[in-house]
Amino acid sequence: SAAFSVRWDSAATGTAEAGPAGSEPLLERQQTIPQPAVSLPAGGPYCLIAWDPDAVQPSWLHWLIINIPGGSNASKGSTVVPWTPPTPPPGTGTHHYIFGLFLQSGPIEPTALGALTRPLFNPSRFAEQHGLRQVDDKRIAVSASPLA
């Protein structure tokens, strides 16, 4: 079965792939502007959550998709919060971006999620509230531009 992968393929900037914790690649912001292609292992249904733990605490939400069938890709799920690329504010150093793969206990009704805000998003609380179990994650790092 296919493994969990998060990758960008661009004629302009080439191919980049998120890595495991501790060996996440440092990418240029330009590489991460398009929505990445995400492949999922068998099983499921899955929820994909991407967040920046180095932004506002507990995190900034970059992407949230629910009800993704196993063995498929993220486009087969229901997008609740659309992809927004990394934009670490100038002078804030390197930010890490986590793409968490969560196993759902069953289908999730999008209306049951309530209003989700990007700032102050708490991935572990969200997982707890909706019966999700994290089964994998991939990561990238993106550096902010220096202060002028």
Side-chain angles (χ1 to χ4, degrees), residues 43-97:
Y46 293 107
C47 172
L48 176 74
I49 306 175
W51 70 94
D52 173 2
D54 301 316
V56 290
Q57 293 304 311
S59 86
W60 178 275
L61 178 61
H62 280 264
W63 204 15
L64 197 148
I65 305 175
I66 56 172
N67 301 330
I68 312 168
S72 71
N73 60 67
S75 66
K76 304 285 191 231
S78 301
T79 299
V80 179
V81 177
W83 171 246
T84 185
T87 48
T92 60
T94 300
H95 287 231
H96 298 83
Y97 299 86

Side-chain angles (χ1 to χ4, degrees), residues 105-132:
S105 47
I108 293 174
E109 180 54 54
T111 53
L113 297 179
L116 295 177
T117 57
R118 291 184 189 271
L120 307 176
F121 180 77
N122 185 324
S124 48
R125 184 178 304 141
F126 180 86
E128 205 173 278
Q129 287 169 339
H130 300 288
L132 307 175

Side-chain angles (χ1 to χ4, degrees), residues 1-4 40-43 46 70-71:
S1 83
F4 175 47
L40 292 97
Y46 293 107

